[in-house]
Amino acid sequence: CDLARLAADLKPVCEAQIRLFGEPAPMDRYVFLVMAVGDGYGGLEHRASTALLCSRADLPYPGMETVSEGYRQFLGLCSHEYFHTWNVKRIKPAAFVPYRLAVENYTRLLWAFEGFTSYYDDLMLVRSGRITVTDYLGLLGKTITQVHKGSGRRKQSVAESSFEAWTKYYRQDENSPNAIVSYYTKGALVGLLLDLRLRSGSGGAVSLDDLMRTLWQRHGLTGQGVAEDGLYALAAELGGPGVGDWLKELVEGTDELPLAELLAGVGVKLAWEAASSTPGLGVRTSAEGDFPRLANVYDGGPAQAAGLSAGDVLVALDGLRLTAASLDRLLARRRSGDRVSLHAFRRDELMCFEVELAGALPDTARLTLEDDAEAARLSVRKAWLEG
């Protein structure tokens, strides 16, 4: 690991976050405790440190000329946990003041505490010059895609997701993509939309940065918890009553997020594309021995329509033995509308399903800069991305 490069890259990220909330930092010393393993990812925040898990391949090595995808992900993880020094460890929901460590603590605000942190983690990388604007838009597009691909976003609000974290988010099953939405990813998009709404509505005079600084002054420095409706009230205070009501609808409703409209307001175009030209089954698979096992069967997809269920192990397609590696290769020879015969084991029963293949959905988000946008939009975009 190139420790000198890692320290040099983390320094401006940490400095950008300290500038956001205002000096001095709330701790004299901060420690990144990193456990590097063959394959792993995760982090846990503390008041003056974070415990991180990463893959060895994600760390920078001497002579590495570019920022690899894995290293970019690791820097984002470090940025995320460092941001928690303010947002979660000191700015807290009222339900967490004080923490009751013997029982589960419930709040409807995780969309702001984890979601806003997820919004800022990559934003701080581009603001500090660690990644390019193009890289950042790619990462933001992945978050949008992840939220959009799960039909659970139409059934569970991000406020409900926050409250039900103990019972649903951390106890996921094979149907979870069809039933729940992540308060991390959708919460990050709510943060993005609120930031853009505040900036565009004020001509760049007010932003989510101002909201976070206000939270720090009123709650982080005082130890007073944030009320369950506190974010709505603060958004209304900074952006006007309409913004508070609008934010509440985003958070407590299940309508599609107005991403294209607000991104266009800062000269960013959102387009939807199909991730592949290969027709699909509408499933996510894992390997069970040599065979593909259905880990998730998505609502409205061909597999669900044919009667396939999560847990089924596919063994043959049109009479040809399947492997985990050959399924996509065989599907690539078919076209949308083709009917195929799938044999699968459900527990110890061999069953046959007739499946009508569907074309890949345009559910992958692609963000691009519109440099011919009017000057006012470009000015707001510059402030958003540069801080």
Side-chain angles (χ1 to χ4, degrees):
C1 176
D2 187 344
L3 290 175
R5 174 172 182 174
L6 180 53
D9 283 337
L10 283 178
K11 184 173 185 285
V13 176
C14 297
E15 290 174 341
Q17 296 190 19
I18 294 170
R19 285 194 301 271
L20 171 67
F21 288 100
E23 297 186 51
M27 65 288 183
D28 295 327
R29 180 172 182 264
Y30 190 91
V31 181
F32 292 91
L33 300 161
V34 183
M35 175 175 281
V37 296
D39 185 24
Y41 176 83
L44 180 64
E45 68 276 5
H46 303 292
R47 284 179 66 85
S49 66
T50 177
L52 303 172
L53 182 69
C54 75
S55 299
R56 294 185 187 91
D58 292 345
L59 296 171
Y61 55 86
M64 188 172 78
E65 297 179 356
T66 60
V67 178
S68 67
E69 183 177 347
Y71 183 40
R72 188 163 56 235
Q73 176 180 260
F74 179 69
L75 288 176
L77 175 64
C78 292
S79 177
H80 182 100
E81 303 304 340
Y82 192 74
F83 199 86
H84 274 320
T85 304
W86 293 267
N87 194 37
V88 162
K89 298 311 297 183
R90 289 166 175 85
I91 308 169
K92 306 175 188 177
F96 290 178
V97 182
Y99 288 121
R100 298 180 304 283
L101 300 180
V103 296
E104 298 169 347
N105 292 237
Y106 289 88
T107 176
R108 294 171 67 84
L109 288 176
L110 296 184
W111 57 270
F113 287 91
E114 285 292 357
F116 284 12
T117 302
S118 296
Y119 168 57
Y120 273 106
D121 55 22
D122 288 333
L123 184 60
M124 285 298 171
L125 298 186
V126 71
R127 285 185 177 180
S128 60
R130 299 307 93 192
I131 63 174
T132 67
V133 171
T134 300
D135 288 336
Y136 174 66
L137 294 181
L139 293 169
L140 188 55
K142 287 183 179 180
T143 301
I144 295 172
T145 299
Q146 188 175 348
V147 173
H148 192 77
K149 282 190 173 181
S151 63
R153 74 187 190 282
R154 303 193 192 98
K155 301 165 188 172
Q156 183 190 52
S157 73
V158 75
E160 292 169 335
S161 174
S162 299
F163 192 80
E164 296 171 338
W166 291 104
T167 57
K168 291 186 178 180
Y169 186 77
Y170 287 108
R171 298 180 183 178
Q172 295 193 28
D173 57 29
E174 65 278 359
N175 194 52
S176 290
N178 300 326
I180 68 173
V181 68
S182 167
Y183 53 81
Y184 282 89
T185 51
K186 188 174 179 181
L189 298 185
V190 169
L192 165 71
L193 292 174
L194 179 57
D195 197 4
L196 298 183
R197 173 79 184 258
L198 290 171
R199 290 177 185 275
S200 298
S202 65
V206 180
S207 70
L208 190 62
D209 296 353
D210 297 297
L211 186 144
M212 297 307 302
R213 280 189 284 268
T214 303
L215 286 173
W216 174 241
Q217 293 296 322
R218 296 180 184 177
H219 300 278
L221 291 175
T222 66
Q224 180 181 352
V226 180
E228 292 293 292
D229 60 353
L231 273 299
Y232 307 146
L234 185 52
E237 178 184 331
L238 295 177
V243 176
D245 294 338
W246 170 84
L247 177 61
K248 185 174 182 178
E249 290 178 8
L250 290 188
V251 170
E252 300 190 8
T254 56
D255 291 343
E256 297 290 9
L257 299 175
L259 290 159
E261 173 190 350
L262 284 167
L263 285 166
V266 292
V268 176
K269 181 181 179 181
L270 168 62
W272 293 99
E273 302 174 345
S276 169
S277 59
T278 300
L281 298 172
V283 300
R284 184 178 71 84
T285 62
S286 59
E288 180 158 313
D290 291 335
F291 298 104
R293 177 182 180 275
L294 300 187
N296 303 110
V297 176
Y298 298 121
D299 277 353
Q304 187 186 66
L308 284 153
S309 297
D312 291 349
V313 179
L314 307 183
V315 295
L317 187 150
D318 285 344
L320 296 177
R321 182 179 183 272
L322 279 176
T323 66
S326 69
L327 177 60
D328 287 342
R329 187 170 64 248
L330 290 173
L331 289 176
R333 295 171 175 261
R334 285 12 186 231
R335 292 180 296 181
S336 176
D338 285 354
R339 298 186 67 84
V340 298
S341 176
L342 275 172
H343 280 82
F345 273 107
R346 180 171 295 170
R347 295 178 294 274
D348 59 348
E349 299 176 57
L350 181 63
M351 308 178 77
C352 184
F353 302 87
E354 295 297 318
V355 184
E356 182 175 337
L357 301 178
L361 297 173
D363 56 5
T364 301
R366 182 170 180 267
L367 301 178
T368 53
L369 298 177
E370 294 182 309
D371 289 325
D372 58 348
E374 59 191 54
R377 295 187 180 192
L378 295 179
S379 176
V380 174
R381 186 177 78 194
K382 185 174 187 293
W384 164 47
L385 294 173
E386 295 182 6

